Amino acid sequence: MTENAKTAVLLIAHGSRRAEANAELVRLAELVRETGRYPIVETAYLELTEPTIPTGAKTCVERGATRVRMMPYFLSPGVHAINDLEEFRSRFEQEYPGVEFSVCLPLGLHPNLVDVVLARLEEVE
């Protein structure tokens, strides 16, 4: 059994009234799943659509996760990405004793993001 055998990834986005925006997170989850690095990859949204963050956490636990990495699909460390998710994390650790929940950093100023920005800029040229 690998170290990540019981680790789940819960990808979290804000949620949108536009189905296309929500579908992007679902596609990202598929791509992360395809890497094979994590046996459980789920999606959740802060608001406006389903599944909610509590539903996503519950699904991870029901699928056997002993660790859940809450990955905010946000660009900056704002209130949602930091405060709101930390409140959920604290609540989940009480609700699911024996399961470790942690909030990852948002995408932010990761060095690879520069390449993404440059690629998007070149797409319109």
Side-chain angles (χ1 to χ4, degrees), residues 8-100:
V9 173
L10 182 58
L11 295 170
I12 301 168
H14 185 274
S16 174
R17 289 181 182 87
R18 293 190 68 230
E20 299 85 0
N22 298 324
E24 194 170 279
L25 187 69
V26 172
R27 180 64 182 134
L28 177 62
E30 291 168 357
L31 294 170
V32 172
R33 252 184 235 111
E34 288 172 8
T35 70
R37 291 186 63 181
Y38 297 94
I40 303 166
V41 181
E42 296 293 331
T43 61
Y45 302 92
L46 188 63
E47 58 188 26
L48 302 175
T49 193
E50 299 283 331
T52 64
I53 296 171
T55 299
K58 180 179 179 186
T59 300
C60 290
V61 172
E62 287 174 345
R63 292 189 59 202
T66 56
R67 293 179 299 263
V68 179
R69 303 297 181 239
M70 300 168 63
M71 178 66 220
Y73 191 55
F74 293 91
L75 284 178
S76 59
V79 171
H80 290 319
I82 304 301
N83 299 8
D84 293 349
L85 295 187
E86 183 56 34
E87 287 178 24
F88 279 114
R89 186 208 61 76
S90 180
R91 175 176 137 194
F92 297 153
E93 284 203 334
Q94 292 198 10
E95 192 170 333
Y96 304 106
V99 179
E100 171 196 324

